[in-house]
Amino acid sequence: MKTSYTCFCTDVIHDGHINIINHAKQYGRVVVGCLSDKEMIRCSRFPTKSEEERMELYRSLDGVDDVILQDDMRYDDVINTLKPDYVVHGDNWTRDADRVIREHVIELISAYGGQVIDIPYTYNEDVKKVDQRLNEKLAMPEYRRSRLRRLIEMTPIVKVMEAHSGLTGLIVEKTVVENEKGRLDQFDAMWISSLCDSTDRGKPDIELVDMTSRLNTINDIMEVTTKPVILDGDTGGLTEHFVYNVRTLERMGVSAVIIEDKTGLKKNSLFGTEVIQTQDSIENFSEKIAAGKKAQLSDDFMIIARIESLILERGIEDALKRAFAFTAAGADGIMIHSRKKDPAEIFEFCDRFRENDKETPIVVVPTSFNQVKEDELASHGVNIVIYANQMMRAAFPAMKQTAESILRAHRAQEVDSSLMPFKDIIRLIDEI
Ligand code: SPV
Ligand code: MG
């Protein structure tokens, strides 16, 4: 008997999946693959059920003869071991980013005479509703909040991109690319930067934009996305205020707040020692962290301590001393920041921190040392990489040039070729 294989990456079964099983049955014995968690998150499908629960769900379906775990989005593992005669899939994978996966599967399977069968994708109200409900579930505070901790466990390095509005949030949410290994890739979470949130309002990054405004930005982003949010909490403010803000952030579904060990008038770290910046004492900052942890009600919210010793040129010993003290005070992670182009001090800090602490997540923001790739950071024990300001910095020069060009030409024709066509912008939100 021939084997018909199909891979599912869903928590909820709808008409489309049943249709695939029924088609697959016509070709032989039906084996359903359950795409592993670590691969699902790379394909914009964050699981709300465990691998075991999904496998159980697929096993319960009429017409399914066997269920196996697929741990490679490119199907290499399954095709090499199972050697199915047919791979059956909805024809949606002939379009968009999934195309590269289909092409790879055809190459693998045709090597021994197998065949890919594309079934017309089922578009109906039920399917639409299931997808919508799944997204709504993922956006609920308790799902979104816990997702960051799960990502830290599931992926070698969590990739976080800056977002400062609903639109930039949507870009972080939906951008999927084919990477150099022929695999799909996307961002895991969003960073609400104080620099970008302030800049977007035309204000300096000095804790002038108050928490209510920051919460509005977060809310705008959360309304249209499902990915976890990490808030740049500046210094955290007064401890007496910080404890209230921890509760508010938890309730909204924010996954983590990062607060920096500075006091007084905060300036952006990338100024370094060019401006007066005061580092908080270990004692005070440890108390703030401990108070935040005590105020926290959920298990999964994270308070991450950001250490400014390298920014303020106080040295690695000071940074390490602080890292161990803040972890002892209850910090759920350590962010180490540097504005040097050379990543040596970041690597040394991470290596030495990891000698004594293998668990506490390390966060870095490679704005200056931007030549370093994610896998190199991960090899030094980094768990979270934040691209902190690139969306804002990309938008500003494009907008400025457009404004200048229209002023010079006294009309908009000259800029038109560099703009998004009008017919596309009116459909943008549905299509991103
Ligand atoms: C931010 O994005 O606001 C940050 C990171 O705090 S940095 O600008 O590098 O200080
Ligand atoms: Mg900031």
Side-chain angles (χ1 to χ4, degrees), residues 261-314:
D261 59 352
K262 288 206 295 237
T263 188
L265 180 63
K266 190 219 79 154
K267 302 269 177 66
N268 185 275
S269 300
L270 300 175
F271 282 121
T273 50
E274 289 158 29
V275 294
I276 295 171
Q277 309 209 50
T278 316
Q279 202 169 15
D280 202 353
S281 69
I282 293 183
E283 295 68 35
N284 272 342
F285 199 67
S286 297
E287 273 169 28
K288 198 183 283 185
I289 292 164
K293 288 309 290 177
K294 202 163 151 220
Q296 176 180 332
L297 293 177
S298 67
D299 294 333
D300 37 36
F301 183 74
M302 298 173 79
I303 298 179
I304 299 177
R306 162 171 168 176
I307 295 166
E308 294 284 290
S309 305
L310 304 181
I311 292 286
L312 301 172
E313 296 177 11
R314 300 252 166 86

Side-chain angles (χ1 to χ4, degrees), residues 58-104:
Y58 306 160
R59 251 182 233 117
S60 71
L61 300 173
D62 278 349
V64 173
D65 295 295
D66 201 2
V67 176
I68 58 173
L69 190 73
Q70 177 175 327
D71 198 26
D72 182 347
M73 70 167 78
R74 279 164 59 85
Y75 287 61
D76 287 79
D77 57 342
V78 165
I79 292 186
N80 286 336
T81 50
L82 187 70
K83 297 227 172 328
D85 301 285
Y86 302 97
V87 167
V88 184
H89 198 289
D91 66 359
N92 53 324
W93 77 339
T94 59
R95 301 180 284 275
D96 308 329
D98 284 359
R99 239 182 26 246
V100 295
I101 307 283
R102 177 176 179 270
E103 281 159 17
H104 184 67

Side-chain angles (χ1 to χ4, degrees), residues 362-376:
I362 302 179
V363 183
V364 298
V365 177
T367 304
S368 307
F369 45 101
N370 57 10
Q371 71 279 30
V372 183
K373 291 206 171 181
E374 290 146 3
D375 50 3
E376 193 176 5

Side-chain angles (χ1 to χ4, degrees), residues 416 419-426:
D416 214 57
L419 303 182
M420 184 175 206
F422 188 71
K423 66 176 179 14
D424 291 353
I425 185 93
I426 55 180

Side-chain angles (χ1 to χ4, degrees), residues 148 160-164 189-199 201 203-218 221-222 228-237 242 245-246 249 252 254-262 266-270 277 285 288 301-308 311 335 337 363-365 367 384 386-390 392:
L148 183 63
V160 186
M161 174 54 110
E162 175 261 314
H164 55 268
M190 295 172 281
W191 166 246
I192 319 292
S193 150
S194 68
L195 173 66
C196 300
D197 210 355
S198 307
T199 303
R201 294 178 158 81
K203 300 218 164 126
D205 181 18
I206 52 171
E207 284 182 291
L208 173 64
V209 177
D210 66 3
M211 190 48 89
T212 307
S213 308
R214 305 289 313 276
L215 297 178
N216 280 337
T217 304
I218 298 174
I221 293 170
M222 281 186 159
V229 166
I230 304 177
L231 175 68
D232 173 0
D234 288 318
T235 65
F242 181 57
N245 289 331
V246 163
L249 296 172
M252 288 177 82
V254 169
S255 302
V257 63
I258 302 188
I259 54 170
E260 59 196 271
D261 59 352
K262 288 206 295 237
K266 190 219 79 154
K267 302 269 177 66
N268 185 275
S269 300
L270 300 175
Q277 309 209 50
F285 199 67
K288 198 183 283 185
F301 183 74
M302 298 173 79
I303 298 179
I304 299 177
R306 162 171 168 176
I307 295 166
E308 294 284 290
I311 292 286
M335 173 182 151
H337 205 13
V363 183
V364 298
V365 177
T367 304
I384 300 180
I386 299 179
Y387 299 99
N389 46 49
Q390 286 77 7
M392 169 68 72

Side-chain angles (χ1 to χ4, degrees), residues 70-196:
Q70 177 175 327
D71 198 26
D72 182 347
M73 70 167 78
R74 279 164 59 85
Y75 287 61
D76 287 79
D77 57 342
V78 165
I79 292 186
N80 286 336
T81 50
L82 187 70
K83 297 227 172 328
D85 301 285
Y86 302 97
V87 167
V88 184
H89 198 289
D91 66 359
N92 53 324
W93 77 339
T94 59
R95 301 180 284 275
D96 308 329
D98 284 359
R99 239 182 26 246
V100 295
I101 307 283
R102 177 176 179 270
E103 281 159 17
H104 184 67
V105 171
I106 290 176
E107 202 180 305
L108 291 176
I109 200 169
S110 53
Y112 58 84
Q115 209 184 320
V116 164
I117 313 275
D118 302 317
I119 306 295
Y121 189 82
T122 310
Y123 290 103
N124 65 24
E125 279 311 305
D126 175 51
V127 170
K128 242 203 263 163
K129 221 185 278 162
V130 166
D131 277 348
Q132 215 174 341
R133 286 295 295 275
L134 208 55
N135 265 342
E136 280 163 8
K137 192 167 162 185
L138 283 171
M140 291 300 282
E142 55 276 25
Y143 278 104
R144 194 190 306 244
R145 196 176 52 228
S146 60
R147 198 162 146 176
L148 183 63
R149 281 197 191 267
R150 289 184 62 200
L151 280 162
I152 293 170
E153 283 163 18
M154 283 155 82
T155 182
I157 190 155
V158 178
K159 300 193 285 276
V160 186
M161 174 54 110
E162 175 261 314
H164 55 268
S165 59
L167 182 62
T168 50
L170 271 176
I171 293 175
V172 183
E173 175 85 11
K174 302 222 175 165
T175 302
V176 181
V177 297
E178 176 201 349
N179 71 15
E180 70 288 354
K181 294 176 187 142
R183 299 166 57 79
L184 302 185
D185 222 339
Q186 57 159 336
F187 291 107
D188 299 302
M190 295 172 281
W191 166 246
I192 319 292
S193 150
S194 68
L195 173 66
C196 300

